[in-house]
PDB file of all heavy atoms in Angstrom:
ATOM      1  N   ARG A   6      62.901 174.366 -57.723  1.00 95.00           N
ATOM      2  CA  ARG A   6      61.617 174.769 -58.299  1.00 95.00           C
ATOM      3  C   ARG A   6      60.743 175.363 -57.192  1.00 95.00           C
ATOM      4  O   ARG A   6      60.855 174.980 -56.028  1.00 95.00           O
ATOM      5  CB  ARG A   6      60.897 173.567 -58.910  1.00 95.00           C
ATOM      6  CG  ARG A   6      61.626 172.956 -60.096  1.00 95.00           C
ATOM      7  CD  ARG A   6      60.948 171.694 -60.620  1.00 95.00           C
ATOM      8  NE  ARG A   6      60.624 170.690 -59.606  1.00 95.00           N
ATOM      9  CZ  ARG A   6      61.491 169.869 -59.034  1.00 95.00           C
ATOM     10  NH1 ARG A   6      62.764 169.929 -59.346  1.00 95.00           N
ATOM     11  NH2 ARG A   6      61.106 168.979 -58.147  1.00 95.00           N
ATOM     12  N   VAL A   7      59.857 176.268 -57.577  1.00 94.00           N
ATOM     13  CA  VAL A   7      58.909 176.856 -56.635  1.00 94.00           C
ATOM     14  C   VAL A   7      57.507 176.561 -57.148  1.00 94.00           C
ATOM     15  O   VAL A   7      57.200 176.790 -58.321  1.00 94.00           O
ATOM     16  CB  VAL A   7      59.105 178.386 -56.500  1.00 94.00           C
ATOM     17  CG1 VAL A   7      58.032 178.981 -55.615  1.00 94.00           C
ATOM     18  CG2 VAL A   7      60.489 178.701 -55.966  1.00 94.00           C
ATOM     19  N   ARG A   8      56.671 176.038 -56.273  1.00 95.00           N
ATOM     20  CA  ARG A   8      55.275 175.771 -56.628  1.00 95.00           C
ATOM     21  C   ARG A   8      54.382 176.502 -55.644  1.00 95.00           C
ATOM     22  O   ARG A   8      54.643 176.509 -54.443  1.00 95.00           O
ATOM     23  CB  ARG A   8      54.997 174.270 -56.601  1.00 95.00           C
ATOM     24  CG  ARG A   8      53.636 173.922 -57.153  1.00 95.00           C
ATOM     25  CD  ARG A   8      53.491 172.452 -57.527  1.00 95.00           C
ATOM     26  NE  ARG A   8      54.037 171.527 -56.573  1.00 95.00           N
ATOM     27  CZ  ARG A   8      53.296 170.858 -55.671  1.00 95.00           C
ATOM     28  NH1 ARG A   8      52.007 171.023 -55.592  1.00 95.00           N
ATOM     29  NH2 ARG A   8      53.887 170.011 -54.840  1.00 95.00           N
ATOM     30  N   ARG A   9      53.337 177.108 -56.165  1.00 93.00           N
ATOM     31  CA  ARG A   9      52.378 177.846 -55.341  1.00 93.00           C
ATOM     32  C   ARG A   9      51.040 177.127 -55.384  1.00 93.00           C
ATOM     33  O   ARG A   9      50.588 176.741 -56.452  1.00 93.00           O
ATOM     34  CB  ARG A   9      52.137 179.251 -55.876  1.00 93.00           C
ATOM     35  CG  ARG A   9      53.342 180.026 -56.184  1.00 93.00           C
ATOM     36  CD  ARG A   9      53.017 181.197 -57.109  1.00 93.00           C
ATOM     37  NE  ARG A   9      54.250 181.666 -57.708  1.00 93.00           N
ATOM     38  CZ  ARG A   9      54.660 182.905 -57.700  1.00 93.00           C
ATOM     39  NH1 ARG A   9      53.921 183.834 -57.178  1.00 93.00           N
ATOM     40  NH2 ARG A   9      55.798 183.236 -58.240  1.00 93.00           N
ATOM     41  N   ASP A  10      50.422 177.008 -54.246  1.00 94.00           N
ATOM     42  CA  ASP A  10      49.062 176.481 -54.163  1.00 94.00           C
ATOM     43  C   ASP A  10      48.307 177.437 -53.253  1.00 94.00           C
ATOM     44  O   ASP A  10      48.139 177.183 -52.058  1.00 94.00           O
ATOM     45  CB  ASP A  10      49.080 175.052 -53.613  1.00 94.00           C
ATOM     46  CG  ASP A  10      47.699 174.414 -53.659  1.00 94.00           C
ATOM     47  OD1 ASP A  10      46.767 175.020 -54.236  1.00 94.00           O
ATOM     48  OD2 ASP A  10      47.548 173.313 -53.104  1.00 94.00           O
ATOM     49  N   ILE A  11      47.901 178.552 -53.819  1.00 92.00           N
ATOM     50  CA  ILE A  11      47.299 179.632 -53.039  1.00 92.00           C
ATOM     51  C   ILE A  11      45.828 179.747 -53.399  1.00 92.00           C
ATOM     52  O   ILE A  11      45.480 180.027 -54.557  1.00 92.00           O
ATOM     53  CB  ILE A  11      48.043 180.969 -53.302  1.00 92.00           C
ATOM     54  CG1 ILE A  11      49.515 180.823 -52.873  1.00 92.00           C
ATOM     55  CG2 ILE A  11      47.361 182.119 -52.577  1.00 92.00           C
ATOM     56  CD1 ILE A  11      50.394 182.002 -53.224  1.00 92.00           C
ATOM     57  N   ALA A  12      44.971 179.512 -52.397  1.00 89.00           N
ATOM     58  CA  ALA A  12      43.526 179.605 -52.610  1.00 89.00           C
ATOM     59  C   ALA A  12      43.157 181.028 -53.023  1.00 89.00           C
ATOM     60  O   ALA A  12      43.688 181.998 -52.491  1.00 89.00           O
ATOM     61  CB  ALA A  12      42.784 179.200 -51.341  1.00 89.00           C
ATOM     62  N   ARG A  13      42.253 181.134 -53.978  1.00 83.00           N
ATOM     63  CA  ARG A  13      41.848 182.454 -54.475  1.00 83.00           C
ATOM     64  C   ARG A  13      41.143 183.285 -53.407  1.00 83.00           C
ATOM     65  O   ARG A  13      41.248 184.493 -53.395  1.00 83.00           O
ATOM     66  CB  ARG A  13      40.925 182.307 -55.677  1.00 83.00           C
ATOM     67  CG  ARG A  13      41.611 181.767 -56.898  1.00 83.00           C
ATOM     68  CD  ARG A  13      40.690 181.947 -58.096  1.00 83.00           C
ATOM     69  NE  ARG A  13      41.184 181.269 -59.263  1.00 83.00           N
ATOM     70  CZ  ARG A  13      42.103 181.748 -60.073  1.00 83.00           C
ATOM     71  NH1 ARG A  13      42.654 182.901 -59.819  1.00 83.00           N
ATOM     72  NH2 ARG A  13      42.491 181.063 -61.128  1.00 83.00           N
ATOM     73  N   SER A  14      40.422 182.649 -52.548  1.00 82.00           N
ATOM     74  CA  SER A  14      39.622 183.402 -51.578  1.00 82.00           C
ATOM     75  C   SER A  14      40.056 183.131 -50.144  1.00 82.00           C
ATOM     76  O   SER A  14      39.233 182.988 -49.260  1.00 82.00           O
ATOM     77  CB  SER A  14      38.143 183.047 -51.746  1.00 82.00           C
ATOM     78  OG  SER A  14      37.963 181.663 -51.506  1.00 82.00           O
ATOM     79  N   CYS A  15      41.378 183.041 -49.939  1.00 82.00           N
ATOM     80  CA  CYS A  15      41.818 182.816 -48.569  1.00 82.00           C
ATOM     81  C   CYS A  15      41.642 184.098 -47.762  1.00 82.00           C
ATOM     82  O   CYS A  15      41.584 185.195 -48.309  1.00 82.00           O
ATOM     83  CB  CYS A  15      43.256 182.313 -48.516  1.00 82.00           C
ATOM     84  SG  CYS A  15      44.458 183.384 -49.249  1.00 82.00           S
ATOM     85  N   GLY A  16      41.542 183.936 -46.466  1.00 78.00           N
ATOM     86  CA  GLY A  16      41.211 185.056 -45.595  1.00 78.00           C
ATOM     87  C   GLY A  16      42.303 186.094 -45.442  1.00 78.00           C
ATOM     88  O   GLY A  16      43.434 185.914 -45.881  1.00 78.00           O
ATOM     89  N   TRP A  17      41.925 187.173 -44.826  1.00 90.00           N
ATOM     90  CA  TRP A  17      42.818 188.257 -44.491  1.00 90.00           C
ATOM     91  C   TRP A  17      43.103 188.175 -43.001  1.00 90.00           C
ATOM     92  O   TRP A  17      42.285 187.666 -42.239  1.00 90.00           O
ATOM     93  CB  TRP A  17      42.158 189.595 -44.800  1.00 90.00           C
ATOM     94  CG  TRP A  17      41.946 189.852 -46.265  1.00 90.00           C
ATOM     95  CD1 TRP A  17      41.268 189.057 -47.148  1.00 90.00           C
ATOM     96  CD2 TRP A  17      42.398 190.967 -47.011  1.00 90.00           C
ATOM     97  NE1 TRP A  17      41.280 189.613 -48.390  1.00 90.00           N
ATOM     98  CE2 TRP A  17      41.962 190.795 -48.335  1.00 90.00           C
ATOM     99  CE3 TRP A  17      43.123 192.101 -46.689  1.00 90.00           C
ATOM    100  CZ2 TRP A  17      42.234 191.713 -49.333  1.00 90.00           C
ATOM    101  CZ3 TRP A  17      43.387 193.014 -47.687  1.00 90.00           C
ATOM    102  CH2 TRP A  17      42.959 192.822 -48.990  1.00 90.00           C
ATOM    103  N   VAL A  18      44.239 188.679 -42.595  1.00 92.00           N
ATOM    104  CA  VAL A  18      44.566 188.748 -41.178  1.00 92.00           C
ATOM    105  C   VAL A  18      44.947 190.180 -40.835  1.00 92.00           C
ATOM    106  O   VAL A  18      45.436 190.927 -41.688  1.00 92.00           O
ATOM    107  CB  VAL A  18      45.717 187.786 -40.781  1.00 92.00           C
ATOM    108  CG1 VAL A  18      45.321 186.341 -41.011  1.00 92.00           C
ATOM    109  CG2 VAL A  18      47.001 188.103 -41.506  1.00 92.00           C
ATOM    110  N   LEU A  19      44.699 190.558 -39.596  1.00 91.00           N
ATOM    111  CA  LEU A  19      45.106 191.872 -39.112  1.00 91.00           C
ATOM    112  C   LEU A  19      46.538 191.726 -38.627  1.00 91.00           C
ATOM    113  O   LEU A  19      46.797 191.099 -37.603  1.00 91.00           O
ATOM    114  CB  LEU A  19      44.182 192.339 -37.984  1.00 91.00           C
ATOM    115  CG  LEU A  19      44.360 193.786 -37.540  1.00 91.00           C
ATOM    116  CD1 LEU A  19      44.091 194.741 -38.691  1.00 91.00           C
ATOM    117  CD2 LEU A  19      43.435 194.096 -36.381  1.00 91.00           C
ATOM    118  N   ALA A  20      47.479 192.271 -39.401  1.00 90.00           N
ATOM    119  CA  ALA A  20      48.898 192.037 -39.119  1.00 90.00           C
ATOM    120  C   ALA A  20      49.733 193.156 -39.713  1.00 90.00           C
ATOM    121  O   ALA A  20      49.227 194.007 -40.440  1.00 90.00           O
ATOM    122  CB  ALA A  20      49.326 190.699 -39.719  1.00 90.00           C
ATOM    123  N   ASP A  21      50.998 193.120 -39.407  1.00 86.00           N
ATOM    124  CA  ASP A  21      51.960 194.019 -40.033  1.00 86.00           C
ATOM    125  C   ASP A  21      52.434 193.318 -41.301  1.00 86.00           C
ATOM    126  O   ASP A  21      53.054 192.253 -41.246  1.00 86.00           O
ATOM    127  CB  ASP A  21      53.128 194.294 -39.085  1.00 86.00           C
ATOM    128  CG  ASP A  21      54.079 195.324 -39.638  1.00 86.00           C
ATOM    129  OD1 ASP A  21      54.704 195.038 -40.683  1.00 86.00           O
ATOM    130  OD2 ASP A  21      54.196 196.402 -39.027  1.00 86.00           O
ATOM    131  N   GLU A  22      52.161 193.910 -42.459  1.00 87.00           N
ATOM    132  CA  GLU A  22      52.460 193.265 -43.729  1.00 87.00           C
ATOM    133  C   GLU A  22      53.951 192.991 -43.902  1.00 87.00           C
ATOM    134  O   GLU A  22      54.354 191.946 -44.416  1.00 87.00           O
ATOM    135  CB  GLU A  22      51.953 194.117 -44.892  1.00 87.00           C
ATOM    136  CG  GLU A  22      52.082 193.419 -46.222  1.00 87.00           C
ATOM    137  CD  GLU A  22      51.383 194.165 -47.344  1.00 87.00           C
ATOM    138  OE1 GLU A  22      50.982 195.319 -47.161  1.00 87.00           O
ATOM    139  OE2 GLU A  22      51.246 193.564 -48.415  1.00 87.00           O
ATOM    140  N   VAL A  23      54.784 193.899 -43.461  1.00 83.00           N
ATOM    141  CA  VAL A  23      56.227 193.706 -43.594  1.00 83.00           C
ATOM    142  C   VAL A  23      56.678 192.518 -42.745  1.00 83.00           C
ATOM    143  O   VAL A  23      57.515 191.716 -43.175  1.00 83.00           O
ATOM    144  CB  VAL A  23      57.000 194.991 -43.215  1.00 83.00           C
ATOM    145  CG1 VAL A  23      58.494 194.749 -43.208  1.00 83.00           C
ATOM    146  CG2 VAL A  23      56.644 196.106 -44.179  1.00 83.00           C
ATOM    147  N   GLN A  24      56.115 192.384 -41.561  1.00 86.00           N
ATOM    148  CA  GLN A  24      56.477 191.244 -40.719  1.00 86.00           C
ATOM    149  C   GLN A  24      56.031 189.931 -41.357  1.00 86.00           C
ATOM    150  O   GLN A  24      56.771 188.946 -41.339  1.00 86.00           O
ATOM    151  CB  GLN A  24      55.854 191.385 -39.332  1.00 86.00           C
ATOM    152  CG  GLN A  24      56.509 192.431 -38.482  1.00 86.00           C
ATOM    153  CD  GLN A  24      55.899 192.502 -37.089  1.00 86.00           C
ATOM    154  OE1 GLN A  24      54.737 192.152 -36.881  1.00 86.00           O
ATOM    155  NE2 GLN A  24      56.689 192.959 -36.141  1.00 86.00           N
ATOM    156  N   MET A  25      54.820 189.916 -41.922  1.00 90.00           N
ATOM    157  CA  MET A  25      54.340 188.707 -42.594  1.00 90.00           C
ATOM    158  C   MET A  25      55.241 188.374 -43.785  1.00 90.00           C
ATOM    159  O   MET A  25      55.587 187.222 -44.027  1.00 90.00           O
ATOM    160  CB  MET A  25      52.897 188.888 -43.074  1.00 90.00           C
ATOM    161  CG  MET A  25      51.867 189.026 -41.971  1.00 90.00           C
ATOM    162  SD  MET A  25      51.639 187.492 -41.047  1.00 90.00           S
ATOM    163  CE  MET A  25      52.464 187.916 -39.538  1.00 90.00           C
ATOM    164  N   HIS A  26      55.632 189.389 -44.521  1.00 89.00           N
ATOM    165  CA  HIS A  26      56.542 189.243 -45.653  1.00 89.00           C
ATOM    166  C   HIS A  26      57.860 188.620 -45.166  1.00 89.00           C
ATOM    167  O   HIS A  26      58.400 187.692 -45.787  1.00 89.00           O
ATOM    168  CB  HIS A  26      56.775 190.638 -46.247  1.00 89.00           C
ATOM    169  CG  HIS A  26      57.445 190.665 -47.572  1.00 89.00           C
ATOM    170  ND1 HIS A  26      58.805 190.541 -47.726  1.00 89.00           N
ATOM    171  CD2 HIS A  26      56.944 190.829 -48.813  1.00 89.00           C
ATOM    172  CE1 HIS A  26      59.115 190.619 -49.001  1.00 89.00           C
ATOM    173  NE2 HIS A  26      57.996 190.801 -49.691  1.00 89.00           N
ATOM    174  N   GLN A  27      58.358 189.119 -44.049  1.00 86.00           N
ATOM    175  CA  GLN A  27      59.616 188.636 -43.488  1.00 86.00           C
ATOM    176  C   GLN A  27      59.521 187.165 -43.095  1.00 86.00           C
ATOM    177  O   GLN A  27      60.458 186.395 -43.319  1.00 86.00           O
ATOM    178  CB  GLN A  27      59.987 189.486 -42.273  1.00 86.00           C
ATOM    179  CG  GLN A  27      61.301 189.120 -41.649  1.00 86.00           C
ATOM    180  CD  GLN A  27      61.646 190.013 -40.464  1.00 86.00           C
ATOM    181  OE1 GLN A  27      60.853 190.811 -40.006  1.00 86.00           O
ATOM    182  NE2 GLN A  27      62.856 189.864 -39.972  1.00 86.00           N
ATOM    183  N   ILE A  28      58.406 186.755 -42.518  1.00 91.00           N
ATOM    184  CA  ILE A  28      58.232 185.354 -42.119  1.00 91.00           C
ATOM    185  C   ILE A  28      58.339 184.438 -43.331  1.00 91.00           C
ATOM    186  O   ILE A  28      59.090 183.465 -43.328  1.00 91.00           O
ATOM    187  CB  ILE A  28      56.867 185.146 -41.421  1.00 91.00           C
ATOM    188  CG1 ILE A  28      56.848 185.825 -40.066  1.00 91.00           C
ATOM    189  CG2 ILE A  28      56.560 183.655 -41.281  1.00 91.00           C
ATOM    190  CD1 ILE A  28      55.464 185.877 -39.443  1.00 91.00           C
ATOM    191  N   ILE A  29      57.571 184.741 -44.374  1.00 93.00           N
ATOM    192  CA  ILE A  29      57.572 183.879 -45.565  1.00 93.00           C
ATOM    193  C   ILE A  29      58.951 183.883 -46.219  1.00 93.00           C
ATOM    194  O   ILE A  29      59.460 182.839 -46.633  1.00 93.00           O
ATOM    195  CB  ILE A  29      56.473 184.319 -46.558  1.00 93.00           C
ATOM    196  CG1 ILE A  29      55.090 184.291 -45.879  1.00 93.00           C
ATOM    197  CG2 ILE A  29      56.490 183.437 -47.801  1.00 93.00           C
ATOM    198  CD1 ILE A  29      54.706 182.954 -45.267  1.00 93.00           C
ATOM    199  N   MET A  30      59.570 185.046 -46.285  1.00 89.00           N
ATOM    200  CA  MET A  30      60.918 185.136 -46.869  1.00 89.00           C
ATOM    201  C   MET A  30      61.913 184.294 -46.059  1.00 89.00           C
ATOM    202  O   MET A  30      62.714 183.544 -46.626  1.00 89.00           O
ATOM    203  CB  MET A  30      61.377 186.593 -46.927  1.00 89.00           C
ATOM    204  CG  MET A  30      62.666 186.798 -47.671  1.00 89.00           C
ATOM    205  SD  MET A  30      62.587 186.354 -49.414  1.00 89.00           S
ATOM    206  CE  MET A  30      61.880 187.838 -50.098  1.00 89.00           C
ATOM    207  N   ASN A  31      61.850 184.371 -44.730  1.00 87.00           N
ATOM    208  CA  ASN A  31      62.751 183.583 -43.879  1.00 87.00           C
ATOM    209  C   ASN A  31      62.532 182.087 -44.080  1.00 87.00           C
ATOM    210  O   ASN A  31      63.488 181.317 -44.181  1.00 87.00           O
ATOM    211  CB  ASN A  31      62.565 183.932 -42.402  1.00 87.00           C
ATOM    212  CG  ASN A  31      63.147 185.274 -42.026  1.00 87.00           C
ATOM    213  OD1 ASN A  31      63.798 185.937 -42.820  1.00 87.00           O
ATOM    214  ND2 ASN A  31      62.879 185.702 -40.804  1.00 87.00           N
ATOM    215  N   LEU A  32      61.273 181.663 -44.133  1.00 93.00           N
ATOM    216  CA  LEU A  32      60.980 180.236 -44.310  1.00 93.00           C
ATOM    217  C   LEU A  32      61.461 179.739 -45.672  1.00 93.00           C
ATOM    218  O   LEU A  32      62.037 178.650 -45.776  1.00 93.00           O
ATOM    219  CB  LEU A  32      59.482 179.971 -44.131  1.00 93.00           C
ATOM    220  CG  LEU A  32      58.938 180.180 -42.722  1.00 93.00           C
ATOM    221  CD1 LEU A  32      57.422 180.003 -42.702  1.00 93.00           C
ATOM    222  CD2 LEU A  32      59.601 179.237 -41.725  1.00 93.00           C
ATOM    223  N   CYS A  33      61.241 180.535 -46.715  1.00 92.00           N
ATOM    224  CA  CYS A  33      61.691 180.141 -48.058  1.00 92.00           C
ATOM    225  C   CYS A  33      63.215 180.144 -48.165  1.00 92.00           C
ATOM    226  O   CYS A  33      63.797 179.281 -48.820  1.00 92.00           O
ATOM    227  CB  CYS A  33      61.077 181.054 -49.113  1.00 92.00           C
ATOM    228  SG  CYS A  33      59.302 180.795 -49.335  1.00 92.00           S
ATOM    229  N   THR A  34      63.862 181.091 -47.509  1.00 87.00           N
ATOM    230  CA  THR A  34      65.329 181.141 -47.516  1.00 87.00           C
ATOM    231  C   THR A  34      65.895 179.910 -46.824  1.00 87.00           C
ATOM    232  O   THR A  34      66.864 179.298 -47.301  1.00 87.00           O
ATOM    233  CB  THR A  34      65.827 182.430 -46.840  1.00 87.00           C
ATOM    234  OG1 THR A  34      65.326 183.548 -47.582  1.00 87.00           O
ATOM    235  CG2 THR A  34      67.341 182.489 -46.791  1.00 87.00           C
ATOM    236  N   ASN A  35      65.302 179.517 -45.703  1.00 88.00           N
ATOM    237  CA  ASN A  35      65.754 178.301 -45.015  1.00 88.00           C
ATOM    238  C   ASN A  35      65.527 177.072 -45.879  1.00 88.00           C
ATOM    239  O   ASN A  35      66.371 176.166 -45.918  1.00 88.00           O
ATOM    240  CB  ASN A  35      65.051 178.142 -43.666  1.00 88.00           C
ATOM    241  CG  ASN A  35      65.665 179.013 -42.605  1.00 88.00           C
ATOM    242  OD1 ASN A  35      66.713 179.622 -42.798  1.00 88.00           O
ATOM    243  ND2 ASN A  35      65.003 179.098 -41.469  1.00 88.00           N
ATOM    244  N   ALA A  36      64.387 177.022 -46.573  1.00 91.00           N
ATOM    245  CA  ALA A  36      64.100 175.893 -47.462  1.00 91.00           C
ATOM    246  C   ALA A  36      65.144 175.823 -48.570  1.00 91.00           C
ATOM    247  O   ALA A  36      65.666 174.748 -48.886  1.00 91.00           O
ATOM    248  CB  ALA A  36      62.695 176.028 -48.043  1.00 91.00           C
ATOM    249  N   GLN A  37      65.461 176.967 -49.144  1.00 91.00           N
ATOM    250  CA  GLN A  37      66.464 177.024 -50.203  1.00 91.00           C
ATOM    251  C   GLN A  37      67.822 176.549 -49.679  1.00 91.00           C
ATOM    252  O   GLN A  37      68.525 175.801 -50.349  1.00 91.00           O
ATOM    253  CB  GLN A  37      66.557 178.453 -50.742  1.00 91.00           C
ATOM    254  CG  GLN A  37      67.578 178.631 -51.834  1.00 91.00           C
ATOM    255  CD  GLN A  37      68.794 179.424 -51.398  1.00 91.00           C
ATOM    256  OE1 GLN A  37      68.745 180.221 -50.484  1.00 91.00           O
ATOM    257  NE2 GLN A  37      69.899 179.184 -52.058  1.00 91.00           N
ATOM    258  N   HIS A  38      68.152 176.958 -48.474  1.00 88.00           N
ATOM    259  CA  HIS A  38      69.434 176.546 -47.880  1.00 88.00           C
ATOM    260  C   HIS A  38      69.486 175.031 -47.706  1.00 88.00           C
ATOM    261  O   HIS A  38      70.533 174.407 -47.933  1.00 88.00           O
ATOM    262  CB  HIS A  38      69.646 177.252 -46.540  1.00 88.00           C
ATOM    263  CG  HIS A  38      70.982 176.993 -45.937  1.00 88.00           C
ATOM    264  ND1 HIS A  38      71.214 175.947 -45.082  1.00 88.00           N
ATOM    265  CD2 HIS A  38      72.170 177.616 -46.097  1.00 88.00           C
ATOM    266  CE1 HIS A  38      72.484 175.943 -44.723  1.00 88.00           C
ATOM    267  NE2 HIS A  38      73.086 176.951 -45.321  1.00 88.00           N
ATOM    268  N   ALA A  39      68.372 174.426 -47.336  1.00 88.00           N
ATOM    269  CA  ALA A  39      68.323 172.977 -47.122  1.00 88.00           C
ATOM    270  C   ALA A  39      68.493 172.203 -48.426  1.00 88.00           C
ATOM    271  O   ALA A  39      68.837 171.017 -48.401  1.00 88.00           O
ATOM    272  CB  ALA A  39      67.005 172.588 -46.455  1.00 88.00           C
ATOM    273  N   MET A  40      68.278 172.873 -49.570  1.00 92.00           N
ATOM    274  CA  MET A  40      68.353 172.184 -50.863  1.00 92.00           C
ATOM    275  C   MET A  40      69.481 172.712 -51.746  1.00 92.00           C
ATOM    276  O   MET A  40      69.541 172.381 -52.925  1.00 92.00           O
ATOM    277  CB  MET A  40      67.018 172.340 -51.603  1.00 92.00           C
ATOM    278  CG  MET A  40      65.856 171.743 -50.866  1.00 92.00           C
ATOM    279  SD  MET A  40      64.307 171.899 -51.764  1.00 92.00           S
ATOM    280  CE  MET A  40      64.046 173.667 -51.759  1.00 92.00           C
ATOM    281  N   ARG A  41      70.356 173.525 -51.191  1.00 86.00           N
ATOM    282  CA  ARG A  41      71.364 174.190 -52.031  1.00 86.00           C
ATOM    283  C   ARG A  41      72.289 173.215 -52.750  1.00 86.00           C
ATOM    284  O   ARG A  41      72.749 173.489 -53.851  1.00 86.00           O
ATOM    285  CB  ARG A  41      72.159 175.180 -51.207  1.00 86.00           C
ATOM    286  CG  ARG A  41      73.046 174.528 -50.179  1.00 86.00           C
ATOM    287  CD  ARG A  41      73.897 175.522 -49.429  1.00 86.00           C
ATOM    288  NE  ARG A  41      74.667 174.768 -48.460  1.00 86.00           N
ATOM    289  CZ  ARG A  41      74.726 175.045 -47.192  1.00 86.00           C
ATOM    290  NH1 ARG A  41      74.102 176.090 -46.733  1.00 86.00           N
ATOM    291  NH2 ARG A  41      75.430 174.304 -46.371  1.00 86.00           N
ATOM    292  N   ASP A  42      72.561 172.055 -52.157  1.00 86.00           N
ATOM    293  CA  ASP A  42      73.478 171.099 -52.787  1.00 86.00           C
ATOM    294  C   ASP A  42      72.759 170.122 -53.719  1.00 86.00           C
ATOM    295  O   ASP A  42      73.332 169.688 -54.714  1.00 86.00           O
ATOM    296  CB  ASP A  42      74.239 170.305 -51.722  1.00 86.00           C
ATOM    297  CG  ASP A  42      75.159 171.191 -50.889  1.00 86.00           C
ATOM    298  OD1 ASP A  42      75.632 172.224 -51.424  1.00 86.00           O
ATOM    299  OD2 ASP A  42      75.388 170.859 -49.709  1.00 86.00           O
ATOM    300  N   THR A  43      71.525 169.790 -53.395  1.00 90.00           N
ATOM    301  CA  THR A  43      70.820 168.742 -54.138  1.00 90.00           C
ATOM    302  C   THR A  43      69.718 169.253 -55.049  1.00 90.00           C
ATOM    303  O   THR A  43      69.238 168.523 -55.910  1.00 90.00           O
ATOM    304  CB  THR A  43      70.181 167.749 -53.147  1.00 90.00           C
ATOM    305  OG1 THR A  43      69.262 168.468 -52.316  1.00 90.00           O
ATOM    306  CG2 THR A  43      71.225 167.062 -52.294  1.00 90.00           C
ATOM    307  N   GLY A  44      69.275 170.494 -54.839  1.00 92.00           N
ATOM    308  CA  GLY A  44      68.119 170.981 -55.583  1.00 92.00           C
ATOM    309  C   GLY A  44      66.850 170.391 -54.997  1.00 92.00           C
ATOM    310  O   GLY A  44      66.885 169.648 -54.014  1.00 92.00           O
TER     311      GLY A  44
END
């Protein structure tokens, strides 16, 4: 299952959007890998 708890008015950062996207994707992929057998 995926749950989001994202504040409506959280701040902005000066960053490369693709890199930020990659970080979150990598972290979620690792999380998924840790639960692949048990859910």
Side-chain angles (χ1 to χ4, degrees):
R6 295 175 310 284
V7 175
R8 188 163 43 100
R9 311 162 198 232
D10 186 7
I11 299 173
R13 291 192 189 278
S14 61
C15 59
W17 292 56
V18 297
L19 189 61
D21 186 296
E22 187 171 12
V23 174
Q24 287 182 334
M25 293 291 107
H26 192 279
Q27 183 179 8
I28 291 169
I29 302 304
M30 187 63 83
N31 286 354
L32 293 175
C33 289
T34 299
N35 281 351
Q37 179 251 335
H38 186 270
M40 299 181 294
R41 68 176 179 232
D42 295 331
T43 60

